[in-house]
Amino acid sequence: MADNILEVNNLKKHFPINGGIFKRQVNSVKAVDGLNFNVKRGETLGLVGESGCGKSTTGKVLLRLLDATEGEVKFEGRDIHKLDKKDLRSLRKEMQMIFQDPYASLNPRMTVAEIVGEPLDIHNLAKGKEKEERVRELLDMVGLSSKFAKRYPHEFSGGQRQRIGIARALAVDPEVIVCDEPVSALDVSIQAQVINLMEDLQDELGLTYIFIAHDLSVVRHISDRVAVMYLGKIVELADKDDLYDTPKHPYTKALLSAIPVPDPQRQREKIILEGDVPSPINPPSGCTFHTRCPYAEDICKQEEPVFEEKGEDHLAACHFTDKLE
Amino acid sequence: MKAQVEEEQEIKQISEEAHSPWHEAWKRLKKNKLAMIGLGITTVLLIVAIFAPIIAPYNPRYAPVIEDGKVELSLQGPSWAHPFGTDKLGRDIFSRVVYGARISLMVGLITQGIALVLGITLGAIAGYYGGLIDEAVSYLIQVFLAFPFILFAIAIMAVFSEPGVDKVFLALGLISWPPLARIVRGQVMSIKEEEYIEAAQSLGASDFRIIVKHVIPNSLAPIIVTVTLGVAGAILAEAGLSFLGLGTQPPRPSWGVMLKTGQEYIRSYPYMIWFPGLAIMIAVMGINLLGDGLRDALDPKMKD
């Protein structure tokens, strides 16, 4: 196997629900419920799934913006959930995040230069003239003129703001960037620009991306491998072409069938999933997808399918993968 | 990179100069007539307070020494020489009102300074960390707010054996912080959920840095409004305490003290209380108008 920059083992994040007179924990929301995957150095791993399936929580737990309930996230062999405060700070230089909403993720009271320069201050990377120079360089890298360094975020468009966010993430020279739906708030034409920028930066700087999204065509474009999440679990993980051409999980298949095709003549088979996503407070027994799965049988209600190889480097968790073909 | 060039041009069209959020607020404030009147009154008050020795024609504390020990200047009505008249000791009331602005403003600013330090610190800590600290601070706020303001001030002043203006600073400062702490706490609680706070955390910023650089600058608007209105409240409270004899002590020319000494002569020489009374009213009204205007100007949802 290639060099794994990130190894995730049995990662869980449960949010407690407190109730009753004594505010005891009565239940929990199982936002992330046992993830196992690796991220290879220099690749882009796409993470897709419906709203509320735990994609964003996964991103935050990967960076330890949230503490994991269980399991480990190993960055270059070290479990980041066991780091002390000081080591965690230096980890922030290695792993960064690009946020979904470019309007909310920039402090409205800070100028662009202050926003992009803040990580340099925090980690004492550059001061004075050197810092100015570095900020200019970063803005240049993301295609913004340094002329606008003294402007405030509200003077920029969504795409430009997202570029500022990218420049901020790049300031510390990170290895891994978790991108939490970085383009879903942008116009389609701007999406392409930002995606292209991110690809250029990846080539230039050798970045590793974890790209969280719900837009399957965007994910297919940018990712090397894709993981599909359903109710806090990864149900399928494979090379992108493999996954898009021969899905091994009925959920993936249903998702793919919902991608709009820009050709009115072409007829295609659409799989309509019945019902809603079950509550992550009380996930269904066995295979969590059995309530909506067209292939479900009794075994699916009782036994949780193993997340295993169904093809070369193609993992899926389903009892009836064979039936799909 | 053609798109980039286009984007740059687009930005140029948006604005030639940088517009900070404060700049926008100032533009809105300028359109508000009442707020500008308030700002005018507040500015005059400031100028009068700062340049009191130049503006006041007479010594506010002592009457001019008269030959033969006669107090000829005592209890004169308004005239060209004494536009607001003189009091029983022959002191020029105009000069006393001018110096009174100094005391009032000092009380307003110093008490609100104390309230700012206490209120922001406690409010920010309670809002940011939540949990037990929050419950403790919130409880303290409730207890403080449960007492009527002026009664609380009287109670604290009564603890000191000798009342005086310095004790007024302390007493009013100690009881002015709860409303501010409550507002800061609420602001911090809502702002800490913003994505840019999460962004700062992911950059490795310390809690202190996040509070000082991200949370407080974004909650400045309501803080400014509360403090401005607080200055007016403190001026009023000082006048009240002094009127009751628990605040500033004679011969210091506080407006409250002047009201107190003037009330003995309310029937025969009512001008003695007109002018300090008017001064209190105009100052408090002006600052309140400014505060209300600031609230409208700084509230981003009020954008026209």
Side-chain angles (χ1 to χ4, degrees), chain B residues 21-43:
Chain B
W22 299 117
H23 189 91
E24 305 285 324
W26 169 238
K27 277 204 291 193
R28 282 197 293 275
L29 188 70
K30 271 201 294 196
K31 283 192 211 144
N32 184 339
K33 280 203 188 85
L34 280 177
M36 291 320 281
I37 293 174
L39 183 65
I41 292 174
T42 311
T43 314

Side-chain angles (χ1 to χ4, degrees), chain A residues 179-191:
Chain A
C179 317
D180 187 3
E181 308 214 21
V183 296
S184 55
L186 305 176
D187 287 347
V188 176
S189 58
I190 307 294
Q191 281 190 4

Side-chain angles (χ1 to χ4, degrees), chain A residues 96 107 109 118 123 160 193, chain B residues 7 21 202-203 214 218:
Chain A
Q96 270 303 314
N107 184 339
R109 302 271 179 207
E118 188 176 28
H123 297 286
Q160 290 162 335
Q193 287 180 16
Chain B
E7 266 188 44
S202 77
L203 291 170
H214 296 272
N218 282 288

Side-chain angles (χ1 to χ4, degrees), chain A residues 60 63 65 89 92 95-97 99-102 104-110 115 118-119 121-123 143-145 147-148 150-152 154-157 159-160 163 168-169 172 190 193, chain B residues 1 3-4 7-12 14-22 24 135 194-207 209 213-215 217-221 298 303:
Chain A
K60 283 170 193 169
L63 288 177
L65 285 176
R89 251 170 86 92
R92 301 280 180 230
M95 294 175 74
Q96 270 303 314
M97 183 149 187
F99 292 85
Q100 174 174 9
D101 184 351
S105 61
L106 304 176
N107 184 339
R109 302 271 179 207
M110 283 167 98
I115 290 169
E118 188 176 28
D121 288 337
I122 292 171
H123 297 286
L144 285 173
S145 164
K147 270 187 292 185
F148 306 124
K150 293 274 183 291
R151 298 285 170 81
Y152 288 85
H154 71 100
E155 298 173 76
F156 293 87
S157 69
Q160 290 162 335
R163 286 168 193 263
R168 171 176 61 188
V172 291
I190 307 294
Q193 287 180 16
Chain B
M1 289 284 107
Q4 183 190 326
E7 266 188 44
E8 282 182 17
Q9 280 168 347
E10 179 198 327
I11 265 211
K12 243 186 188 157
I14 298 170
S15 54
E16 278 299 325
E17 320 149 34
H19 291 306
S20 78
W22 299 117
E24 305 285 324
E135 278 183 35
E194 295 277 347
E195 217 168 43
Y196 57 80
I197 301 298
E198 197 158 44
Q201 282 167 345
S202 77
L203 291 170
S206 60
D207 287 351
R209 186 189 182 90
K213 286 249 170 185
H214 296 272
V215 176
N218 282 288
S219 44
L220 267 186
L298 291 170
K303 252 182 202 163

Side-chain angles (χ1 to χ4, degrees), chain A residues 42 134 137-143 170 173-174 196-209, chain B residues 1:
Chain A
R134 174 82 175 132
E137 188 186 307
L138 285 162
L139 289 177
D140 193 49
M141 246 195 261
V142 297
L170 291 176
D173 220 341
N196 289 339
L197 170 71
M198 290 176 64
E199 285 184 315
D200 292 345
L201 290 169
Q202 183 170 37
D203 291 343
E204 210 174 303
L205 305 168
L207 299 168
T208 305
Y209 287 145
Chain B
M1 289 284 107

Side-chain angles (χ1 to χ4, degrees), chain A residues 50 230 251 272-278 288-294:
Chain A
E50 282 169 276
Y230 184 76
Y251 179 62
I272 313 268
L273 289 179
E274 307 267 316
D276 285 326
V277 184
T288 50
F289 187 55
H290 81 250
T291 52
R292 304 168 78 193
C293 181

Side-chain angles (χ1 to χ4, degrees), chain A residues 247-296:
Chain A
K248 306 269 189 211
H249 195 284
Y251 179 62
T252 314
K253 203 175 169 190
L255 275 186
L256 292 174
S257 80
I259 302 178
V261 182
D263 179 359
Q265 306 296 328
R266 235 179 82 187
Q267 290 293 319
R268 52 204 176 96
E269 179 205 0
K270 252 197 200 170
I271 304 167
I272 313 268
L273 289 179
E274 307 267 316
D276 285 326
V277 184
S279 155
I281 298 171
N282 293 306
S285 61
C287 172
T288 50
F289 187 55
H290 81 250
T291 52
R292 304 168 78 193
C293 181
Y295 305 93

